[in-house]
């Protein structure tokens, strides 16, 4: 079970950070980044499995594949933004974290515009 | 593969530690050289002031009685006195400055004090020389004290620096 | 596994902490600061390769081109 490994890594990293915090606070951020990356890379294969399953399902129910790709991209951007902004928060840099989140939101909005346009088209078509 | 890696890491660690120890050892070598120089100059003073020996004989006597650290210094001076007929003792002293700097690891200020001995020795009367000897021995004593303080702070630092840098390299390379 | 990088970073941090103390005790604060900087840069080099690998993985997975 991976969950035991992940939990163990998290606890060990926390202990190391507490030890380092008194003498060298510069290294605590690096330790937390590496811990985050390692936990994330444990999760990536699982996520790949989920996405493959959803893709199979969508091809079966005959939905336009481009919309589905947009959805996947938005999820990916959300993950990355969360990852980066959490690292910034750990280092007490709330303002940078806010800006990263803002950038993520804007990019997600840009990605969503084609979907919005087709939705509007549909509404216009339906309306008499 | 693992054995190779392990042995190479051990070599790196040992090398770093040894470099640190040698670098720290320079400071204690300077102290030792200064102490034996001090001792030998005191012997020279007795030879000249009390026994009134001529200089080549006095220097030969000291050479035979002094410790191994500065044995070579007096040997060189003796050779130079035999070789050099200009009669200026300062020239003979000057030839030892390289040796003092490189093998005894003395600093320029220590060498200057020692060379100033060559300027006054055998040139003035006994009373004057006695005063000069007193001054030079005093100066050397102060330099020894200074070198001791320097050794105490630096030797330990270089040793731990060597060990820690070795450890750090191993951790980075693992 | 990449888990040992966590221990490596922590060990580098502790060694720089000890070096800092040793250098500070013998009155060389400027070198102490430099040592910390070098340690952070070395560790950052290792961390950045790991993060860039993660980013390429995420890019491939979510098709973020």
């Amino acid at each position: 079970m991976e969950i035991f490994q992940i939990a163990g890594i998290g606890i060990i990293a926390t202990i190391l950070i507490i030890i380092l915090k008194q003498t060298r606070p510069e290294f605590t951020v690096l330790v937390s980044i590496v811990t985050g990356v390692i936990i994330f890379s444990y999760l990536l294969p699982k996520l790949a499995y989920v996405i493959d399953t959803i893709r199979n399902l969508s091809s079966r129910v005959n939905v336009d594949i481009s919309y589905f790709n947009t959805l996947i991209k938005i999820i990916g951007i959300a993950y990355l933004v969360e990852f980066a902004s959490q690292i910034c928060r750990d280092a007490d840099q709330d303002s940078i974290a806010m800006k990263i989140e803002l950038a993520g939101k804007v990019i997600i909005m840009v990605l969503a515009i084609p979907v919005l346009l087709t939705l509007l088209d549909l509404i216009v078509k339906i309306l008499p | 593969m693992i054995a190779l890696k392990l042995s190479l890491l051990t070599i790196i660690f040992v090398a770093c530690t040894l470099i640190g120890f040698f670098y720290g050892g320079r400071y204690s070598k300077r102290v030792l050289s200064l102490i034996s120089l001090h001792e030998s100059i005191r012997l020279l003073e007795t030879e000249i002031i009390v026994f009134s020996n001529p200089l080549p004989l006095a220097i030969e006597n000291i050479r035979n009685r002094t410790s191994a650290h500065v044995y070579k210094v007096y040997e060189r001076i003796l050779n130079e006195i035999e070789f050099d007929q200009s009669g200026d003792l300062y020239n003979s002293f000057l030839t030892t400055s390289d040796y003092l700097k490189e093998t005894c690891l003395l600093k320029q200020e220590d060498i200057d004090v020692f060379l100033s001995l060559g300027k006054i020795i055998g040139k003035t009367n006994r009373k004057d020389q006695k005063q000069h000897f007193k001054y030079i021995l005093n100066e050397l004593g102060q330099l020894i004290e200074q070198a001791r303080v320097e050794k105490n702070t630096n030797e330990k630092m270089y040793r731990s620096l060597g060990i820690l840098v070795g450890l750090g390299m191993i951790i980075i390379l693992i | 596994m990449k888990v040992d990088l966590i221990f490596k970073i922590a060990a580098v941090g502790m060694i720089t902490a000890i070096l800092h103390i040793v250098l500070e005790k013998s009155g060389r604060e400027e070198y102490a600061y430099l040592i910390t900087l070098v340690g952070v840069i070395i560790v950052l080099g290792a961390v950045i390769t790991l993060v860039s690998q993660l980013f390429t993985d995420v890019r491939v997975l979510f098709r973020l081109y």
Side-chain angles (χ1 to χ4, degrees), chain B residues 34-94:
Chain B
L34 274 176
I35 286 173
S36 40
L37 211 58
H38 189 263
E39 203 62 31
S40 68
I41 286 171
R42 195 147 51 195
L43 286 176
L44 191 66
E45 189 188 9
T46 350
E47 287 281 334
I48 288 173
I49 306 292
V50 180
F51 299 120
S52 318
N53 283 331
L55 257 177
L57 184 65
I59 290 176
E60 200 178 344
N61 279 343
I62 304 158
R63 187 200 64 181
N64 292 338
R65 282 165 66 189
T66 191
S67 60
H69 281 286
V70 289
Y71 178 85
K72 274 257 170 68
V73 175
Y74 290 103
E75 176 121 333
R76 274 196 187 196
I77 291 173
L78 214 55
N79 278 343
E80 206 52 35
I81 286 173
E82 273 174 26
F83 197 68
D84 180 36
Q85 293 300 324
S86 70
D88 195 358
L89 201 65
Y90 183 62
N91 283 337
S92 317
F93 270 67
L94 213 56

Side-chain angles (χ1 to χ4, degrees), chain A residues 30-45:
Chain A
L30 293 165
V31 173
S32 74
I33 290 174
V34 171
T35 315
V37 170
I38 287 169
I39 290 174
F40 216 85
S41 60
Y42 268 118
L43 292 180
L44 277 179

